[in-house]
Amino acid sequence: MRRLLLLLTLFFTFSTIATAKTPSGQVENVKLNIKDNEMAITFLGISEGEATLIQGPNAENILVNTGGMSTALELEEWLDLYNVKKLKALILTNDISEDSINQLMKLVSKYKIKEIITTPKRKRQLVTHPLPADLTVTNWNAGTKTSILPEVSAIVQYAGDNQNEGLDFMLEFFNHRIFLMSSYSERAEKVLLNKNLEDVNIFKLPNYAMEDTLSKSLIHSLNPEISILFAGAEQLPNADILDDLHEAWSEIYYTKKHGTITIKFTETKYEVITIPIYEE
């Protein structure tokens, strides 16, 4: 039986445009007050691409992806809103365009990033560029298991470098399981279907849940309590995938509708906090 979720929605008295841009200067900082044996994961409501913030106690922060080419300012405003001054690491799950390297290095400098984690192919791409001497580039392979924050382990389920493939990894925090999926190739799905991935608490879908992104079999295998869909530019999630998620009794959060979504975990439960988007 699924646990009773504590669903909290924070409503702020601000107005912003329908794309999920930060209400800079109009909203007080979000204070999650993360204590020992707690963590939070935030799916940032940027208007293009994906960016996910993982936070532990003692102001330890890890960023997964950096959004789109046009969202650098949005990303920084959201990080400021969550009081992020420094990032322990940056995880890049998908392809890195040559045009984005300079933007990436600005983030490295501003947030004092000491490690970038990605796939072997993308590591080779990165190290061909001039990098700060104190920056480490690490590649994760399928099967890699490592502690990234206190009590938080990342276990790589799939690491692909072909088209429509990237890093797919599970975060484990006590009995909580958070699956961040980026790949949507036929090969990746076959591998994932043969793994012990059932009863996921939080599932971040790949590629904005577009058509042919993932099958009904994989959704029912994961059996997610909550599903997170990032908003694609002028794209709507595939209706069949949404139906499959509903059949699996998954609660769906969509950044274009719900804005930024934070999930805070203790040892035994979690709560969902949203910063909604309002049209002018």
Side-chain angles (χ1 to χ4, degrees):
M1 180 179 294
R2 296 180 183 274
R3 68 170 58 86
L4 179 64
L5 304 183
L6 176 59
L7 302 178
L8 300 180
T9 303
L10 302 183
F11 292 94
F12 295 95
T13 56
F14 65 82
S15 177
T16 187
I17 61 177
T19 54
K21 294 186 178 179
T22 309
S24 180
Q26 299 181 49
V27 178
E28 294 182 2
N29 285 358
V30 177
K31 298 178 180 178
L32 295 176
N33 298 317
I34 300 172
K35 302 178 179 64
D36 290 342
N37 295 334
E38 294 182 349
M39 70 159 288
I41 185 164
T42 298
F43 303 92
L44 298 173
I46 54 179
S47 57
E48 179 189 351
E50 298 183 4
T52 301
L53 178 64
I54 306 168
Q55 296 180 283
N58 304 316
E60 288 191 277
N61 307 295
I62 293 173
L63 185 66
V64 183
N65 296 322
T66 61
M69 286 296 296
S70 64
T71 60
L73 180 59
E74 289 180 55
L75 175 63
E76 291 185 16
E77 288 179 339
W78 279 114
L79 292 177
D80 288 346
L81 192 69
Y82 278 77
N83 201 35
V84 174
K85 308 299 182 187
K86 185 177 180 180
L87 289 166
K88 177 181 178 181
L90 170 62
I91 302 173
L92 300 174
T93 67
N94 298 107
D95 286 332
I96 308 159
S97 71
E98 290 297 318
D99 293 338
S100 68
I101 297 295
N102 287 339
Q103 180 177 316
L104 198 62
M105 289 305 104
K106 289 178 182 177
L107 277 176
V108 168
S109 176
K110 178 170 182 177
Y111 294 100
K112 303 177 178 63
I113 299 171
K114 299 303 180 185
E115 184 179 21
I116 293 178
I117 300 165
T118 189
T119 65
K121 174 185 174 183
R122 295 169 183 98
K123 175 183 176 178
R124 292 193 295 270
Q125 180 185 356
L126 271 174
V127 298
T128 61
H129 295 80
L131 301 176
D134 59 348
L135 178 66
T136 300
V137 182
T138 303
N139 62 267
W140 279 355
N141 298 294
T144 295
K145 181 175 181 178
T146 185
S147 175
I148 60 171
L149 289 174
E151 307 297 339
V152 182
S153 294
I155 304 98
V156 180
Q157 306 298 327
Y158 188 82
D161 282 319
N162 293 332
Q163 186 177 8
N164 302 331
E165 294 184 345
L167 277 177
D168 306 306
F169 60 97
M170 185 80 74
L171 298 177
E172 293 188 350
F173 178 71
F174 294 98
N175 291 324
H176 306 296
R177 287 157 60 88
I178 306 154
F179 186 39
L180 304 180
M181 184 174 172
S182 298
S183 303
Y184 53 101
S185 69
E186 183 176 348
R187 182 176 69 165
E189 177 152 319
K190 286 181 179 178
V191 171
L192 294 174
L193 278 169
N194 287 321
K195 291 182 174 286
N196 179 26
L197 302 180
E198 67 270 10
D199 297 324
V200 168
N201 301 107
I202 313 298
F203 174 37
K204 195 284 295 180
L205 280 74
N207 197 37
Y208 320 122
M210 299 304 293
E211 188 175 5
D212 298 326
T213 301
L214 70 168
S215 69
K216 180 175 183 176
S217 296
L218 183 56
I219 289 172
H220 283 262
S221 174
L222 295 171
N223 192 29
E225 293 178 357
I226 289 180
S227 297
I228 305 292
L229 286 66
F230 276 98
E234 306 302 323
Q235 295 173 316
L236 293 175
N238 180 260
D240 290 337
I241 292 176
L242 294 181
D243 286 344
D244 293 338
L245 290 170
H246 284 303
E247 282 185 21
W249 295 95
S250 184
E251 186 90 19
I252 300 172
Y253 286 84
Y254 181 37
T255 57
K256 187 169 284 188
K257 176 181 178 181
H258 298 97
T260 284
I261 303 134
T262 293
I263 305 173
K264 184 178 177 181
F265 297 84
T266 66
E267 292 183 47
T268 59
K269 64 182 180 180
Y270 59 85
E271 59 184 4
V272 179
I273 305 162
T274 64
I275 301 179
I277 304 166
Y278 295 104
E279 296 187 18
E280 288 182 323

PDB file of all heavy atoms in Angstrom, residues 211-234:
ATOM      1  N   GLU A 211       6.356  11.329 -27.564  1.00  0.00           N
ATOM      2  CA  GLU A 211       5.973  10.037 -28.142  1.00  0.00           C
ATOM      3  C   GLU A 211       7.190   9.129 -28.283  1.00  0.00           C
ATOM      4  O   GLU A 211       8.281   9.579 -28.631  1.00  0.00           O
ATOM      5  CB  GLU A 211       5.325  10.258 -29.515  1.00  0.00           C
ATOM      6  CG  GLU A 211       4.725   9.002 -30.112  1.00  0.00           C
ATOM      7  CD  GLU A 211       3.983   9.286 -31.402  1.00  0.00           C
ATOM      8  OE1 GLU A 211       4.020  10.441 -31.873  1.00  0.00           O
ATOM      9  OE2 GLU A 211       3.382   8.338 -31.929  1.00  0.00           O
ATOM     10  N   ASP A 212       7.008   7.846 -28.003  1.00  0.00           N
ATOM     11  CA  ASP A 212       8.051   6.825 -28.114  1.00  0.00           C
ATOM     12  C   ASP A 212       9.188   7.032 -27.112  1.00  0.00           C
ATOM     13  O   ASP A 212      10.287   6.499 -27.278  1.00  0.00           O
ATOM     14  CB  ASP A 212       8.634   6.765 -29.537  1.00  0.00           C
ATOM     15  CG  ASP A 212       7.581   6.397 -30.567  1.00  0.00           C
ATOM     16  OD1 ASP A 212       6.680   5.604 -30.224  1.00  0.00           O
ATOM     17  OD2 ASP A 212       7.657   6.895 -31.701  1.00  0.00           O
ATOM     18  N   THR A 213       8.940   7.809 -26.062  1.00  0.00           N
ATOM     19  CA  THR A 213       9.976   8.024 -25.057  1.00  0.00           C
ATOM     20  C   THR A 213      10.144   6.797 -24.182  1.00  0.00           C
ATOM     21  O   THR A 213      11.267   6.393 -23.880  1.00  0.00           O
ATOM     22  CB  THR A 213       9.627   9.240 -24.180  1.00  0.00           C
ATOM     23  OG1 THR A 213       9.511  10.388 -25.019  1.00  0.00           O
ATOM     24  CG2 THR A 213      10.694   9.504 -23.146  1.00  0.00           C
ATOM     25  N   LEU A 214       9.044   6.199 -23.748  1.00  0.00           N
ATOM     26  CA  LEU A 214       9.122   4.987 -22.937  1.00  0.00           C
ATOM     27  C   LEU A 214       7.809   4.233 -23.039  1.00  0.00           C
ATOM     28  O   LEU A 214       6.770   4.795 -23.393  1.00  0.00           O
ATOM     29  CB  LEU A 214       9.459   5.293 -21.483  1.00  0.00           C
ATOM     30  CG  LEU A 214       8.437   5.980 -20.584  1.00  0.00           C
ATOM     31  CD1 LEU A 214       8.905   5.890 -19.139  1.00  0.00           C
ATOM     32  CD2 LEU A 214       8.269   7.440 -20.935  1.00  0.00           C
ATOM     33  N   SER A 215       7.870   2.951 -22.725  1.00  0.00           N
ATOM     34  CA  SER A 215       6.722   2.072 -22.949  1.00  0.00           C
ATOM     35  C   SER A 215       5.875   1.930 -21.695  1.00  0.00           C
ATOM     36  O   SER A 215       6.301   2.241 -20.580  1.00  0.00           O
ATOM     37  CB  SER A 215       7.217   0.688 -23.379  1.00  0.00           C
ATOM     38  OG  SER A 215       7.861   0.052 -22.282  1.00  0.00           O
ATOM     39  N   LYS A 216       4.689   1.399 -21.916  1.00  0.00           N
ATOM     40  CA  LYS A 216       3.789   1.081 -20.810  1.00  0.00           C
ATOM     41  C   LYS A 216       4.432   0.039 -19.894  1.00  0.00           C
ATOM     42  O   LYS A 216       4.305   0.114 -18.668  1.00  0.00           O
ATOM     43  CB  LYS A 216       2.471   0.558 -21.363  1.00  0.00           C
ATOM     44  CG  LYS A 216       1.435   0.197 -20.313  1.00  0.00           C
ATOM     45  CD  LYS A 216       0.133  -0.199 -20.984  1.00  0.00           C
ATOM     46  CE  LYS A 216      -0.950  -0.495 -19.970  1.00  0.00           C
ATOM     47  NZ  LYS A 216      -2.249  -0.797 -20.619  1.00  0.00           N
ATOM     48  N   SER A 217       5.154  -0.908 -20.474  1.00  0.00           N
ATOM     49  CA  SER A 217       5.803  -1.954 -19.667  1.00  0.00           C
ATOM     50  C   SER A 217       6.799  -1.363 -18.691  1.00  0.00           C
ATOM     51  O   SER A 217       6.851  -1.767 -17.518  1.00  0.00           O
ATOM     52  CB  SER A 217       6.509  -2.957 -20.583  1.00  0.00           C
ATOM     53  OG  SER A 217       5.589  -3.635 -21.396  1.00  0.00           O
ATOM     54  N   LEU A 218       7.605  -0.406 -19.143  1.00  0.00           N
ATOM     55  CA  LEU A 218       8.592   0.190 -18.251  1.00  0.00           C
ATOM     56  C   LEU A 218       7.917   1.021 -17.166  1.00  0.00           C
ATOM     57  O   LEU A 218       8.313   0.974 -15.997  1.00  0.00           O
ATOM     58  CB  LEU A 218       9.576   1.046 -19.044  1.00  0.00           C
ATOM     59  CG  LEU A 218      10.717   1.661 -18.221  1.00  0.00           C
ATOM     60  CD1 LEU A 218      11.501   0.591 -17.488  1.00  0.00           C
ATOM     61  CD2 LEU A 218      11.641   2.483 -19.107  1.00  0.00           C
ATOM     62  N   ILE A 219       6.881   1.763 -17.526  1.00  0.00           N
ATOM     63  CA  ILE A 219       6.160   2.562 -16.535  1.00  0.00           C
ATOM     64  C   ILE A 219       5.581   1.664 -15.447  1.00  0.00           C
ATOM     65  O   ILE A 219       5.717   1.941 -14.249  1.00  0.00           O
ATOM     66  CB  ILE A 219       5.052   3.395 -17.215  1.00  0.00           C
ATOM     67  CG1 ILE A 219       5.668   4.520 -18.048  1.00  0.00           C
ATOM     68  CG2 ILE A 219       4.092   3.981 -16.165  1.00  0.00           C
ATOM     69  CD1 ILE A 219       4.680   5.273 -18.900  1.00  0.00           C
ATOM     70  N   HIS A 220       4.957   0.573 -15.838  1.00  0.00           N
ATOM     71  CA  HIS A 220       4.357  -0.315 -14.845  1.00  0.00           C
ATOM     72  C   HIS A 220       5.422  -1.071 -14.052  1.00  0.00           C
ATOM     73  O   HIS A 220       5.196  -1.428 -12.891  1.00  0.00           O
ATOM     74  CB  HIS A 220       3.372  -1.261 -15.517  1.00  0.00           C
ATOM     75  CG  HIS A 220       2.070  -0.606 -15.844  1.00  0.00           C
ATOM     76  ND1 HIS A 220       0.955  -0.713 -15.045  1.00  0.00           N
ATOM     77  CD2 HIS A 220       1.706   0.211 -16.871  1.00  0.00           C
ATOM     78  CE1 HIS A 220      -0.047  -0.013 -15.567  1.00  0.00           C
ATOM     79  NE2 HIS A 220       0.387   0.558 -16.677  1.00  0.00           N
ATOM     80  N   SER A 221       6.582  -1.293 -14.669  1.00  0.00           N
ATOM     81  CA  SER A 221       7.681  -1.912 -13.940  1.00  0.00           C
ATOM     82  C   SER A 221       8.207  -0.976 -12.857  1.00  0.00           C
ATOM     83  O   SER A 221       8.461  -1.392 -11.725  1.00  0.00           O
ATOM     84  CB  SER A 221       8.805  -2.283 -14.910  1.00  0.00           C
ATOM     85  OG  SER A 221       9.935  -2.750 -14.220  1.00  0.00           O
ATOM     86  N   LEU A 222       8.334   0.305 -13.190  1.00  0.00           N
ATOM     87  CA  LEU A 222       8.815   1.291 -12.213  1.00  0.00           C
ATOM     88  C   LEU A 222       7.779   1.558 -11.127  1.00  0.00           C
ATOM     89  O   LEU A 222       8.116   1.818  -9.973  1.00  0.00           O
ATOM     90  CB  LEU A 222       9.168   2.596 -12.923  1.00  0.00           C
ATOM     91  CG  LEU A 222      10.324   2.550 -13.909  1.00  0.00           C
ATOM     92  CD1 LEU A 222      10.400   3.857 -14.700  1.00  0.00           C
ATOM     93  CD2 LEU A 222      11.645   2.290 -13.208  1.00  0.00           C
ATOM     94  N   ASN A 223       6.492   1.557 -11.525  1.00  0.00           N
ATOM     95  CA  ASN A 223       5.392   1.778 -10.584  1.00  0.00           C
ATOM     96  C   ASN A 223       5.618   3.040  -9.738  1.00  0.00           C
ATOM     97  O   ASN A 223       5.583   2.994  -8.504  1.00  0.00           O
ATOM     98  CB  ASN A 223       5.228   0.557  -9.678  1.00  0.00           C
ATOM     99  CG  ASN A 223       3.931   0.592  -8.894  1.00  0.00           C
ATOM    100  OD1 ASN A 223       2.936   1.165  -9.341  1.00  0.00           O
ATOM    101  ND2 ASN A 223       3.935   0.000  -7.706  1.00  0.00           N
ATOM    102  N   PRO A 224       5.835   4.187 -10.381  1.00  0.00           N
ATOM    103  CA  PRO A 224       6.218   5.383  -9.614  1.00  0.00           C
ATOM    104  C   PRO A 224       5.061   5.997  -8.834  1.00  0.00           C
ATOM    105  O   PRO A 224       3.941   6.091  -9.327  1.00  0.00           O
ATOM    106  CB  PRO A 224       6.692   6.349 -10.704  1.00  0.00           C
ATOM    107  CG  PRO A 224       5.922   5.943 -11.920  1.00  0.00           C
ATOM    108  CD  PRO A 224       5.750   4.442 -11.824  1.00  0.00           C
ATOM    109  N   GLU A 225       5.343   6.435  -7.621  1.00  0.00           N
ATOM    110  CA  GLU A 225       4.341   7.156  -6.843  1.00  0.00           C
ATOM    111  C   GLU A 225       4.129   8.552  -7.424  1.00  0.00           C
ATOM    112  O   GLU A 225       3.000   9.038  -7.521  1.00  0.00           O
ATOM    113  CB  GLU A 225       4.783   7.258  -5.384  1.00  0.00           C
ATOM    114  CG  GLU A 225       4.811   5.932  -4.661  1.00  0.00           C
ATOM    115  CD  GLU A 225       5.299   6.057  -3.226  1.00  0.00           C
ATOM    116  OE1 GLU A 225       5.676   7.179  -2.817  1.00  0.00           O
ATOM    117  OE2 GLU A 225       5.308   5.048  -2.517  1.00  0.00           O
ATOM    118  N   ILE A 226       5.225   9.212  -7.780  1.00  0.00           N
ATOM    119  CA  ILE A 226       5.168  10.556  -8.353  1.00  0.00           C
ATOM    120  C   ILE A 226       5.992  10.574  -9.620  1.00  0.00           C
ATOM    121  O   ILE A 226       7.111  10.047  -9.657  1.00  0.00           O
ATOM    122  CB  ILE A 226       5.681  11.616  -7.358  1.00  0.00           C
ATOM    123  CG1 ILE A 226       4.683  11.801  -6.216  1.00  0.00           C
ATOM    124  CG2 ILE A 226       5.971  12.941  -8.045  1.00  0.00           C
ATOM    125  CD1 ILE A 226       5.104  12.819  -5.181  1.00  0.00           C
ATOM    126  N   SER A 227       5.465  11.187 -10.680  1.00  0.00           N
ATOM    127  CA  SER A 227       6.184  11.339 -11.943  1.00  0.00           C
ATOM    128  C   SER A 227       6.385  12.821 -12.236  1.00  0.00           C
ATOM    129  O   SER A 227       5.455  13.623 -12.070  1.00  0.00           O
ATOM    130  CB  SER A 227       5.412  10.685 -13.088  1.00  0.00           C
ATOM    131  OG  SER A 227       5.292   9.284 -12.869  1.00  0.00           O
ATOM    132  N   ILE A 228       7.598  13.159 -12.652  1.00  0.00           N
ATOM    133  CA  ILE A 228       7.956  14.550 -12.943  1.00  0.00           C
ATOM    134  C   ILE A 228       8.221  14.698 -14.427  1.00  0.00           C
ATOM    135  O   ILE A 228       9.037  13.978 -15.011  1.00  0.00           O
ATOM    136  CB  ILE A 228       9.217  14.969 -12.153  1.00  0.00           C
ATOM    137  CG1 ILE A 228       9.034  14.731 -10.651  1.00  0.00           C
ATOM    138  CG2 ILE A 228       9.551  16.431 -12.449  1.00  0.00           C
ATOM    139  CD1 ILE A 228       8.013  15.609  -9.986  1.00  0.00           C
ATOM    140  N   LEU A 229       7.534  15.655 -15.055  1.00  0.00           N
ATOM    141  CA  LEU A 229       7.716  15.946 -16.471  1.00  0.00           C
ATOM    142  C   LEU A 229       8.222  17.380 -16.611  1.00  0.00           C
ATOM    143  O   LEU A 229       7.574  18.324 -16.135  1.00  0.00           O
ATOM    144  CB  LEU A 229       6.409  15.816 -17.247  1.00  0.00           C
ATOM    145  CG  LEU A 229       5.841  14.430 -17.532  1.00  0.00           C
ATOM    146  CD1 LEU A 229       5.402  13.720 -16.254  1.00  0.00           C
ATOM    147  CD2 LEU A 229       4.666  14.535 -18.496  1.00  0.00           C
ATOM    148  N   PHE A 230       9.390  17.535 -17.213  1.00  0.00           N
ATOM    149  CA  PHE A 230       9.833  18.877 -17.548  1.00  0.00           C
ATOM    150  C   PHE A 230       9.090  19.358 -18.781  1.00  0.00           C
ATOM    151  O   PHE A 230       8.650  18.578 -19.617  1.00  0.00           O
ATOM    152  CB  PHE A 230      11.345  18.893 -17.817  1.00  0.00           C
ATOM    153  CG  PHE A 230      12.180  19.017 -16.577  1.00  0.00           C
ATOM    154  CD1 PHE A 230      12.745  17.900 -15.985  1.00  0.00           C
ATOM    155  CD2 PHE A 230      12.394  20.257 -15.998  1.00  0.00           C
ATOM    156  CE1 PHE A 230      13.518  18.012 -14.838  1.00  0.00           C
ATOM    157  CE2 PHE A 230      13.162  20.384 -14.852  1.00  0.00           C
ATOM    158  CZ  PHE A 230      13.720  19.263 -14.269  1.00  0.00           C
ATOM    159  N   ALA A 231       8.952  20.664 -18.904  1.00  0.00           N
ATOM    160  CA  ALA A 231       8.226  21.261 -20.015  1.00  0.00           C
ATOM    161  C   ALA A 231       9.145  21.429 -21.211  1.00  0.00           C
ATOM    162  O   ALA A 231      10.223  22.005 -21.097  1.00  0.00           O
ATOM    163  CB  ALA A 231       7.656  22.621 -19.595  1.00  0.00           C
ATOM    164  N   GLY A 232       8.732  20.912 -22.352  1.00  0.00           N
ATOM    165  CA  GLY A 232       9.456  21.162 -23.587  1.00  0.00           C
ATOM    166  C   GLY A 232       8.918  22.402 -24.260  1.00  0.00           C
ATOM    167  O   GLY A 232       7.744  22.748 -24.132  1.00  0.00           O
ATOM    168  N   ALA A 233       9.779  23.096 -24.987  1.00  0.00           N
ATOM    169  CA  ALA A 233       9.358  24.318 -25.674  1.00  0.00           C
ATOM    170  C   ALA A 233       8.277  23.992 -26.701  1.00  0.00           C
ATOM    171  O   ALA A 233       8.504  23.234 -27.645  1.00  0.00           O
ATOM    172  CB  ALA A 233      10.564  24.973 -26.354  1.00  0.00           C
ATOM    173  N   GLU A 234       7.097  24.557 -26.496  1.00  0.00           N
ATOM    174  CA  GLU A 234       5.962  24.370 -27.401  1.00  0.00           C
ATOM    175  C   GLU A 234       5.610  22.887 -27.582  1.00  0.00           C
ATOM    176  O   GLU A 234       5.057  22.501 -28.600  1.00  0.00           O
ATOM    177  CB  GLU A 234       6.243  25.007 -28.769  1.00  0.00           C
ATOM    178  CG  GLU A 234       6.635  26.471 -28.711  1.00  0.00           C
ATOM    179  CD  GLU A 234       5.561  27.329 -28.030  1.00  0.00           C
ATOM    180  OE1 GLU A 234       4.369  27.053 -28.234  1.00  0.00           O
ATOM    181  OE2 GLU A 234       5.944  28.277 -27.315  1.00  0.00           O
TER     182      GLU A 234
END
